[in-house]
Each structure stands twice: as structure tokens, then as C-alpha cells.
Amino acid sequence: MIQRELDELLNRMTQEEKLAQVFQLAACCYEDDFEPDFTGPMREIEVNDTLRKTAGTVIGALEPEEMLKLQKLCASGPNRIPALFMLDVIHGFRTIFPIPLGLACSWDPELMGRTCRIAAKEARASGIHATFAPMVDLVRDSRWGRVMESTGEDPYLNAEFAKAAVKGFQGRGVGEKDSLASCVKHFAAYGAVESGREYNTTDMSRGMLRDVYLDSYRAAVDAGCRLVMTAFNIVERVPATCNKWLLDTVLRKEWGFDGVVITDWNSMNELIAHSVAEDGGEAAQKALEAGVDIDMMSGHYLFDLGRRIEENSSLQPLLDQAVMRILKLKNEMGLFEEPTRGTDPELAGRLILCEEHRATALEAAHKSMVLLKNEKVLPLKAGCKVTIAGTMAGQRNLLGGWSFMGNPEDGISLIEALGSAGADLFIPESDFTDIEEVCRLAEKSEVTVLACGEPVEETAEANSKTCLRLKDRDLALLRALKKQGSKVVLLVLAGRALVLSDAEPLCDAVLQAWFPGTEAGRAIADVLFGAAQPEGKLTISFPREEGQLPLYYNSFRTGRPQLPEKKEEIYVSHYIDCPNEPLYPFGFGLSYTSYAYSDLKLSAKKVHPEETLRVSVKVKNTGERAGREIVQMYLCDPCGSVVRPVKQLRGYTSLELCPGEEKEAVFIITEEDLMFWDNEECRRVEPGRFIVMAGPDSERLMKDEFVYAV
Ligand code: BGC
């Protein structure tokens, strides 16, 4: 349709239809035996056929054939407006990829893009139009269960992944039959919830918001994402869901976002609990005025906005504007001409879990794993006698949270996989954590793989924790195994950075495998036996103690830093019972080979506006196996008008190196890389010294410096 036709359509719509357009219904409401089971005001909802036909958007998924029927029903309403079907397609649809935090450890946005492309193809053919992804919230605290959905603690890397995910989901554009419209979330700063407690408050300076937290959302918007979801939290004391500065001044005016803004689940209603609205009517008005187009699951637009507009007609254009944005998206997706466009149950059947998708899931799972310790025990040799034990050893579900359509049975189990990889397996008969039996088996075997961590159910939404240590049963096993001198490989399956400081000294190797997805079993076995090499590097710092949280590498300088050469000083910023440093820093990860860094070189010692600087460092594979090394480059502005982080990632690259081979990693620093947001909300660069650092992780770095002069 052309704009005139959309305008005419809007004019034809009754107020009821408009209010239904900005409302979202759950897919289950279309099922014959539907029994309402909602929270909040949605409990009152009466789902009739008119609402089913006129609801603007639908959340959830049914079988593809059902989705076809459903769309036909929606498009048979008075003005034949098709519905948009939305779902959380977070790390795969049916073929499940590693959780985003794991995938991020590949430092490979291209791979992220490919996984999102595949997810889009499977989901779209199954009747879904839009995904509530990517979640690009920056996280510095693993107590937050949702850290698994994020790509970690770094603004630069998060922005790269955000861009890649949006492009992957949307493909050549949302008009294509195999694309999903991408909804970036949770705008903004949801990853900063205090104490890592879900749904908690956030508060930070605008400088911090702009310099650290907003970049990834901005990157998603620049990449063309068609939707933005508001966060549950407050930003500068105003809930994001009615925050005009955020949704209008920044998002629409400054960033030029012209798509659809949707609330998070019931977050419009939560404006009342947040204490900024007296009732549903006021909540709806405030959200509308701030620029929210769709109400997810509070019902206030549908139930209360009409009355509010009768009392205050100046709100009508805002409702019309919201409706128009939704119609435009549907139009862009070609749904007016062809409401069932893209939905193809037969194609879905062919695509889902097809060879190519599985191969990408396996590749992604390999690349997500991070080797944190290896005392010459990995890789295991074919035929090696292996005891498998630990609380996670028998866990069938290694898909990770937010994988609604995934099925753990789609891949082989860890035990099956270890068997097929050539292990001579010793499996406890009674219980994977029975100390006596496990120790007995371990005595007869060469190594014990202790699969530990946390079950899937302890991660994702509403799963904040204060204890991030391994389970007592795993630690007890570990102590017993250590005591009898058995070699132990700790296989950590988790959705967050756990506290591994108790376990680390007791084992010989630590493989952080996250939740690897459909191909979990095979991928883990490949890595343990060396058919694939662990090459990932952490995108989140691993604390030694929960008490260090929040913990992140790019912290601000303090007036009393603890200097490495003066650790005994008392009146400096430190703990008396724990080092300041993480157990494993951001960027850290080993492999089955080793690398040596040398010759950090800068192309100039002075740069001027608009000039670039070439930074290079030599990396040599000093081990016996070919590998891919992720080389990192950091910058620091050591003196300026505001305090700046001790270092900030500003570049990374991967080098493929054969044994003995040496290559140069090259980074180009531009003026943009030197910029920051000042307290007048101006993004600029200040003349002076800059320190360049390059190395294998955020701690082991070579340094040099240059001057930026105007
Ligand atoms: C979550 C969102 C999610 C939505 C819909 C909310 O509870 O916070 O991330 O997209 O539910 O499932």
C-alpha cells in the first residue's frame, strides 16, 4: 500500500479497532479450549471473536498450520488488517544455538548474524513475524539471571553483536519472506538493575548511560531494527515505559527511529506500582505521550485509553500515530497484500533442524566454549578412560533458557556424545554425585569429567541469585577426587559467570561450556577430545567472590587505586579478604596451542583531527596445533575533563595461525574511538595523551602511547 492508502485505512478504522490495534493478544487466546490465566488487569479480559480478529499483534506461537488459520482469521476482520505474530526467538527457533552470552565468547558477530538468519528462516516459515531480540543490555553483574541473554559487559562488543543480530534477523529487509522484524530490548539500561536483582531499580549518570549503556541499542537502531521494547526499570527516576526523554528525545529525535515501540510484559500497568500513575488510565496516557505504540499484556490501552481520549481529545493524534506506525510495519512486511506471507508449514518442516542449521549450531557451540584452565590434561586421547560425574552429567536440557520451541531430544546427550567421541566411559550406576561410587570409578579411569554448574531452570528471567558457587555436591565430589589424586576436568554448564574460586584449585582443567544448544553433547565431546579446539574468550569477568559484584574490566579510575607493586597498602581501594581482580578477566581464554605477542607498533606518535592511526602487534603460534587467536586492542585516555575508564576495548581481530606461524594483527584507530560523552551531553574528543594496549585479554597487555593534537 502507498501512504495515501494507509491514511485512508486509518480513517476508516473505528476507535475500537484502533485501540485493538495497539493491544496485544496471546496466541493461546485463539485456542478452542482457551482458559484465561493472565496476571494484572488482563485477568478481566473477555476474549471474543471481534477482539481475536482486530488485535493488532499476537504474542506466542502455535503449530505452523494453526498460525496460517489464525492469520486468515485476523485478516478477515472489518478492515482486513493482518496481525503481527511475535515471539521470543532469542538464540534459535527450533535449532537452538548457544545462549547469547556463550555465543558472544566467539567474538564473531558474523557467526551471531548467521545464527539469527537461521532462526529467522525457521520462525518465519512457522508463522512468526517479529522477534523480541536481540537483548542488548550491558551486564556487569552475574547475579542477574538474564545475563545469559546478553553478550556481556563491553559496550563496543555488545554494539557489534547487536548490529549483527538485527541484520541476521531482518536479512535483506523485513519485506522478505524469510525475515523477522527485530525488536531490540530492553530500552534502556535494564542490565544495570541494582544488586543484579530482576525487576529492580537502576540509577546512573547520563554520562554513564550514554558512554556505556546506550551504545548497543543505538547500534541496533542504526542497523534498522523495526521495533524497540521498553525496559521494566526506571531511568533517571522515570520508568522507561513512560520516559519521554528516552523514547522521544533520544530514540526518535536524536537517533531517528521510525519504527514501533512496544512495552515489556505488563510494564504499562507497573507504572502504577512504580508510583508514577494513579490508575490504568493515567498509565496508558503517560506511555502514549512518551511514544509507546503497543501495550504488551497490561490491557490499559484497550481498557482505559478510550475513556482518557474522550476526556482529552489532544491524545487522539498520538493514538493515530501509534496505529499508523504499526500499520506501516505490517505494510513494510507485505502483509496487507499477502497476510500469510512467509508462513509455509511445508517449508518449515524442511528447514527446521536441517543439516545446514545443525552444522551452524555445532560450529557456534564449538566457538562459544572457553578454556579457563588446562594443566596438560585436555584434549583427551581417543580411547581414554573417562568417568562422567557431577550434578549436570545427566541433564538432558543443555539448550539454555529462552528456547521455547527447542527440544533437548533434538541432539544427543552428553553421555552418548562422549561415548561416540571414543571415550571408554565409566558411568555411575546409582547417582552422578555419589562420592563413593564416583571415586571408585575415577580410580580406574584416567580422568573424571565433572559436569557441574547450574540447571537451565536457574537461569533467565526471574532467576537472580546471590550464591554463584558450584553446588555443594559437586564441590564435595571435587574434594574427594582431589584427595585421591584423580585428574578432573571441570565442565561448567551455566548461564552466568559463576564463582569458581573454590573449585579451580581442585581440578586440572576448566571448560566453560555455557548452554551450547541443540548440538551441546556433540560439541562438548568434540572439544574435550580435540576434534574442535576451544578458542572462545570471555565477554564477562568471572568474580572470585560474589561480594566483588558488580565487577568489570572497564571501571573508572579512583583517587586511591591499588597498585600492583604496592598490594600491601591499606588506604587504597581494595578488599581486606579478596583481591580486586577477577578470577578470570574479560577477554580471557586459553586454547590447545599457545601464542606469543611482540612488537606493538604505532604508525605515528601524534595524530590530528580526522587522521587515523595504525596499530599493529605480532602474534606467533608457539604451540603444536593450528588455531584462531582473538587479539584485542584497548585504549585509555589518561587525563581529561571527566574521569574515564582504565581501559576500553576499541578493536579486536581473529588470526588463524599454523604452528610456528607469525602474523600481524592490525587495528585502525579513528577519532571516533577517542570520543566520549561530556557532562553537557556532547560527544567529543579532548587533545592529549592516549595509551594503546594490545594483547590476548584485558589484563596481559603491551602498551604504547600517542598524542592527539588539534
Ligand atoms: C521479558 C521480555 C520478553 C517478554 C515477552 C518479558 O517478561 O522481560 O524480555 O520479551 O516477556 O515474552
Side-chain angles (χ1 to χ4, degrees):
M1 281 205 260
I2 55 169
Q3 186 56 45
R4 183 175 47 78
E5 291 169 299
L6 287 174
D7 291 336
E8 286 165 5
L9 171 60
L10 184 70
N11 282 336
R12 281 200 306 277
M13 289 171 77
T14 62
Q15 189 72 337
E16 286 66 37
E17 282 173 80
K18 289 179 184 173
L19 293 169
Q21 198 56 216
V22 293
F23 166 77
Q24 181 157 72
L25 203 54
C28 58
C29 300
Y30 290 82
E31 286 176 328
D32 295 337
D33 49 0
F34 158 68
E35 300 258 350
D37 179 25
F38 296 121
T39 48
M42 281 289 283
R43 267 197 297 260
E44 308 301 320
I45 194 160
E46 274 177 40
V47 183
N48 54 33
D49 258 2
T50 311
L51 189 58
R52 285 196 179 102
K53 284 184 190 169
T54 53
T57 56
V58 177
I59 180 171
L62 306 174
E63 287 302 313
E65 286 81 8
E66 292 300 307
M67 298 295 273
L68 267 181
K69 279 196 222 151
L70 217 139
Q71 185 62 294
K72 284 179 190 154
L73 176 79
C74 295
S76 70
N79 275 305
R80 307 201 166 281
I81 304 174
L84 268 184
F85 296 107
M86 306 188 172
L87 185 74
D88 292 277
V89 181
I90 306 293
H91 51 115
F93 180 70
R94 176 70 185 261
T95 307
I96 304 295
F97 303 101
I99 56 169
L101 188 58
L103 200 44
C105 294
S106 67
W107 292 55
D108 188 349
E110 188 274 333
L111 177 63
M112 168 69 86
R114 264 192 290 139
T115 65
C116 295
R117 190 85 286 280
I118 288 173
K121 285 184 181 173
E122 291 189 1
R124 186 64 193 269
S126 307
I128 304 297
H129 303 118
T131 174
F132 300 122
M135 185 196 101
V136 303
D137 304 329
L138 183 137
V139 194
R140 295 172 155 181
D141 191 332
S142 271
R143 287 174 294 180
W144 196 42
R146 305 200 73 166
V147 62
M148 59 134 302
E149 290 172 62
S150 83
T151 48
E153 72 188 35
D154 184 65
Y156 181 87
L157 211 48
N158 283 358
E160 296 273 296
F161 282 117
K163 217 183 324 173
V166 170
K167 294 213 152 127
F169 285 128
Q170 298 193 165
R172 277 172 298 142
V174 293
E176 298 294 322
K177 281 184 172 183
D178 64 357
S179 290
L180 288 180
S182 159
C183 176
V184 68
K185 68 191 186 186
H186 305 89
F187 193 59
Y190 191 35
V193 280
E194 264 180 25
S195 321
R197 204 178 74 217
E198 185 82 285
Y199 315 126
N200 200 8
T201 207
T202 58
D203 196 19
M204 64 179 72
S205 70
R206 203 168 269 197
M208 172 68 87
L209 190 65
R210 288 213 179 257
D211 249 349
V212 177
Y213 283 87
L214 290 189
D215 282 0
S216 49
Y217 310 98
R218 172 80 200 246
V221 168
D222 287 349
C225 71
R226 303 313 297 131
L227 300 107
V228 171
M229 186 188 292
T230 66
F232 287 124
N233 55 284
I234 60 172
V235 172
E236 297 181 334
R237 296 177 296 162
V238 179
T241 299
C242 66
N243 193 315
K244 202 163 176 179
W245 175 75
L246 205 57
L247 301 182
D248 194 52
T249 309
V250 176
L251 181 64
R252 299 240 183 237
K253 302 212 169 79
E254 195 179 312
W255 297 357
F257 178 68
D258 63 357
V260 173
V261 172
I262 183 169
T263 69
D264 201 346
W265 189 284
N266 196 38
S267 69
M268 195 181 290
N269 185 47
E270 289 163 24
L271 299 183
I272 303 171
H274 261 126
S275 75
V276 297
E278 280 289 353
D279 53 29
E282 192 179 0
Q285 174 168 348
K286 284 199 160 183
L288 185 72
E289 283 172 339
V292 168
D293 303 310
I294 302 176
D295 162 30
M296 183 198 289
M297 289 295 141
S298 92
H300 289 311
Y301 270 180
L302 185 72
F303 305 143
D304 307 304
L305 193 57
R307 221 171 327 119
R308 209 75 189 178
I309 297 176
E310 278 167 22
E311 290 159 17
N312 176 358
S313 61
S314 70
L315 297 173
Q316 185 66 45
L318 296 182
L319 172 63
D320 289 350
Q321 174 178 268
V323 173
M324 181 52 79
R325 288 185 187 131
I326 301 164
L327 297 179
K328 274 188 173 170
L329 176 55
K330 294 178 176 179
N331 190 41
E332 209 183 327
M333 297 191 80
L335 298 178
F336 283 107
E337 284 76 17
E338 196 189 344
T340 56
R341 186 174 168 74
T343 310
D344 184 342
E346 189 269 329
L347 175 66
R350 269 187 290 132
L351 284 175
I352 280 172
L353 295 165
C354 69
E355 217 175 292
E356 183 205 332
H357 295 187
R358 276 183 178 280
T360 306
L362 184 65
E363 177 191 346
H366 289 156
K367 290 190 171 159
S368 68
M369 288 185 210
V370 188
L371 184 64
L372 297 174
K373 175 177 180 178
N374 190 14
E375 302 284 329
K376 298 199 174 87
V377 53
L378 291 177
L380 305 175
K381 295 196 182 50
C384 173
K385 293 191 174 70
V386 181
T387 295
I388 174 82
T391 50
M392 294 296 285
Q395 283 281 342
R396 199 62 184 88
N397 186 355
L398 301 181
L399 299 180
W402 292 109
S403 46
F404 298 125
M405 310 307 284
N407 181 351
E409 304 294 328
D410 288 336
I412 57 173
S413 73
L414 176 60
I415 293 184
E416 285 165 330
L418 288 174
S420 359
D424 182 0
L425 262 190
F426 292 62
I427 308 170
E429 271 169 23
S430 51
D431 178 346
F432 286 109
T433 54
D434 183 298
I435 296 190
E436 221 174 284
E437 190 181 4
V438 171
C439 283
R440 200 164 0 95
L441 297 178
E443 290 247 271
K444 291 190 274 176
S445 56
E446 292 158 77
V447 66
T448 299
V449 171
L450 192 77
C452 55
E454 53 181 1
V456 163
E457 300 73 37
E458 288 183 16
T459 70
E461 188 172 350
N463 281 301
S464 295
K465 284 185 184 179
T466 58
C467 175
L468 305 185
R469 308 185 108 78
L470 293 185
K471 306 287 176 210
D472 289 345
R473 280 179 298 154
D474 288 318
L475 286 170
L477 261 181
L478 202 49
R479 283 189 206 103
L481 289 164
K482 174 80 182 171
K483 203 165 160 201
Q484 71 173 22
S486 300
K487 273 203 181 349
V488 178
V489 172
L490 207 64
L491 172 67
V492 186
L493 295 147
R496 44 161 71 79
L498 292 176
V499 169
L500 300 176
S501 36
D502 302 328
E504 197 265 353
L506 304 176
C507 61
D508 301 277
V510 182
L511 180 67
Q512 177 70 30
W514 310 106
F515 285 111
T518 302
E519 294 294 347
R522 190 163 296 145
I524 293 168
D526 283 351
V527 169
L528 290 177
F529 278 88
Q533 177 159 225
E535 292 169 334
K537 296 204 177 185
L538 299 177
T539 62
I540 189 156
S541 306
F542 271 48
R544 290 170 193 271
E545 300 288 333
E546 292 89 343
Q548 290 177 300
L549 294 169
L551 180 69
Y552 46 97
Y553 83 94
N554 46 358
S555 55
F556 282 137
R557 261 160 226 284
T558 68
R560 294 193 181 191
Q562 187 187 49
L563 302 174
E565 63 280 10
K566 286 193 188 161
K567 290 264 183 191
E568 68 295 342
E569 284 215 34
I570 295 170
Y571 294 102
V572 293
S573 180
H574 77 300
Y575 298 106
I576 57 171
D577 58 354
C578 175
N580 286 357
E581 294 76 26
L583 183 65
Y584 302 114
F586 174 85
F588 178 76
L590 305 168
S591 76
Y592 294 153
T593 186
S594 52
Y595 301 96
Y597 282 65
S598 64
D599 284 327
L600 176 65
K601 277 201 189 120
L602 310 189
S603 59
K605 282 286 183 190
K606 197 178 247 184
V607 286
H608 299 95
E610 288 169 37
E611 285 176 2
T612 58
L613 182 77
R614 183 182 188 274
V615 177
S616 63
V617 64
K618 283 190 185 153
V619 184
K620 185 171 182 177
N621 184 340
T622 50
E624 277 152 28
R625 196 182 156 128
R628 179 182 81 112
E629 168 71 345
I630 301 162
V631 186
Q632 302 156 39
M633 189 272 288
Y634 297 81
L635 279 179
C636 164
D637 183 348
C639 189
S641 57
V642 296
V643 175
R644 304 285 303 281
V646 289
K647 59 191 86 144
Q648 291 173 285
L649 183 76
R650 279 291 177 262
Y652 61 91
T653 186
S654 288
L655 295 180
E656 304 271 354
L657 293 163
C658 293
E661 193 182 7
E662 185 171 61
K663 281 186 187 164
E664 213 178 44
V666 177
F667 306 96
I668 303 296
I669 296 177
T670 66
E671 225 177 347
E672 179 71 19
D673 295 317
L674 312 180
M675 290 190 173
F676 72 106
W677 287 91
D678 69 16
N679 284 347
E680 275 66 54
E681 282 189 83
C682 209
R683 190 162 154 73
R684 61 191 178 87
V685 49
E686 287 176 341
R689 245 169 8 104
F690 283 86
I691 301 171
V692 188
M693 292 159 268
D697 60 55
S698 62
E699 283 186 358
R700 288 175 297 157
L701 295 164
M702 301 174 70
K703 293 185 189 166
D704 200 347
E705 50 181 82
F706 67 93
V707 169
Y708 173 83
V710 286

